Amino acid sequence: MSEEQPKFLTALSSLFPIFLLLVIDLFAFGLQPQPNAMSHLALGVLTAQLICLIAFIKGEICNGQRSRLGRVNLYFGVFWVVWLLFSLGTSYHNVFMDLICLCGMAMTIIILKQPFEVKLRHLLLKIAGFVGMLGVIGYCLILADEANFIRFNPIAQILLGIILANLALVISRNRLKGFIALLMLAAIAFLALNALFVCANLFMLSQQSAVVFTNEFALLLYLLLHFVMAAMLAVHVFKKWALSYNSLLILLLMTASLPLWANFAYLV
């Protein structure tokens, strides 16, 4: 991202990933066999916000970088507002989902309005982290009642959050190179962990007579996406390239689409 990039383009590049997530998430919601106002990607957005909090608290960043990253985080609030309105507008809305949205919105507001005074700022940011963890706990409570962990895959959502946080750092032109490099390694680790998690769940589901695989091609594509993402990340690591906005957007799209292929692959 250019240092001289106009504010309009910065806003557009910040909003577009969130718009992409909302389109995919709501489409995945429409594919569910049973109505349940639960986001497939909310844990990923919470993870991204929590990672950004680490950058705010532990990162040695100037006020300019802090302000830019705060404005990028503002667009995460769009995700929560849309989901809250959507959840409240349905007759089968989930109270936990409403609370998760409120936690995400609270984090967004605290990050945007963080003061310059160091002690007060750190206190408020830690409160935001506590609120974010409450949102994570709320999502896990909803997930505990789900029979299909692949559709709402928590490992894939954490991977999504890592990529989304990396994207926020790139858009805000943040100079935490060591932290960004660590995020890339974390993405590789969670990608491998997700592949193992999915294979283990597929084996368990295949033993259940209630599971009907309706589209083996979608299931194959789900797994192939892991190899494509692994190849992209490996090239950047071995070549010592920083992930660009376009590369991260492609990774984000592939990761966010995983719930879609899971829904296309089988019905429980």
Side-chain angles (χ1 to χ4, degrees):
M1 304 296 289
S2 170
E3 290 286 341
E4 302 299 325
Q5 180 172 261
K7 290 183 178 181
F8 172 75
L9 290 180
T10 301
L12 186 62
S13 61
S14 302
L15 180 60
F16 183 69
I18 302 302
F19 172 77
L20 195 65
L21 293 184
L22 280 169
V23 171
I24 293 173
D25 204 6
L26 293 176
F27 183 60
F29 167 80
L31 294 175
Q32 292 181 101
Q34 296 178 347
N36 181 12
M38 178 179 175
S39 167
H40 290 72
L41 306 176
L43 181 59
V45 179
L46 283 174
T47 301
Q49 289 181 285
L50 289 170
I51 292 174
C52 286
L53 277 175
I54 296 174
F56 280 122
I57 296 172
K58 297 295 184 181
E60 296 181 0
I61 55 179
C62 65
N63 288 333
Q65 294 177 64
R66 185 178 298 277
S67 177
R68 289 195 298 269
L69 185 56
R71 288 196 298 270
V72 173
N73 269 261
L74 174 64
Y75 293 92
F76 293 158
V78 175
F79 181 91
W80 300 119
V81 169
V82 170
W83 255 104
L84 180 62
L85 294 175
F86 182 78
S87 177
L88 291 174
T90 58
S91 58
Y92 43 83
H93 81 273
N94 192 313
V95 175
F96 278 117
M97 191 64 215
D98 299 341
L99 293 175
I100 292 167
C101 291
L102 291 175
C103 288
M105 291 167 64
M107 290 177 70
T108 302
I109 294 170
I110 294 174
I111 288 173
L112 183 65
K113 298 296 184 180
Q114 57 184 291
F116 289 106
E117 202 278 313
V118 177
K119 289 186 179 179
L120 179 59
R121 181 175 70 221
H122 281 189
L123 175 62
L124 289 175
L125 290 175
K126 288 176 181 178
I127 291 173
F130 176 74
V131 172
M133 289 308 300
L134 287 179
V136 171
I137 293 171
Y139 193 89
C140 291
L141 289 175
I142 303 176
L143 198 60
D145 294 329
E146 290 294 327
N148 191 331
F149 281 102
I150 299 180
R151 284 198 183 106
F152 300 94
N153 190 336
I155 308 298
Q157 290 194 62
I158 293 173
L159 173 62
L160 175 75
I162 294 171
I163 295 170
L164 187 58
N166 201 331
L167 197 54
L169 291 169
V170 169
I171 294 170
S172 63
R173 305 186 294 281
N174 211 284
R175 297 185 181 90
L176 295 173
K177 293 182 179 179
F179 186 59
I180 292 173
L182 185 61
L183 288 180
M184 188 186 299
L185 294 177
I188 294 173
F190 272 93
L191 183 63
L193 183 61
N194 187 59
L196 294 174
F197 177 82
V198 170
C199 289
N201 274 271
L202 285 175
F203 175 77
M204 290 187 292
L205 288 171
S206 65
Q207 307 302 308
Q208 301 175 17
S209 59
V211 179
V212 179
F213 290 90
T214 59
N215 191 337
E216 288 79 5
F217 176 76
L219 186 60
L220 178 62
L221 187 57
Y222 184 103
L223 296 173
L224 284 176
L225 282 175
H226 287 70
F227 290 101
V228 176
M229 288 187 281
M232 283 186 64
L233 290 168
V235 168
H236 282 80
V237 169
F238 290 127
K239 294 288 185 179
K240 296 182 179 179
W241 294 340
L243 286 165
S244 66
Y245 176 84
N246 291 334
S247 298
L248 286 166
L249 200 60
I250 293 170
L251 288 170
L252 186 77
L253 176 61
M254 288 190 288
T255 309
S257 69
L258 291 177
L260 293 180
W261 303 117
N263 276 284
F264 285 136
Y266 56 86
L267 299 175
V268 177

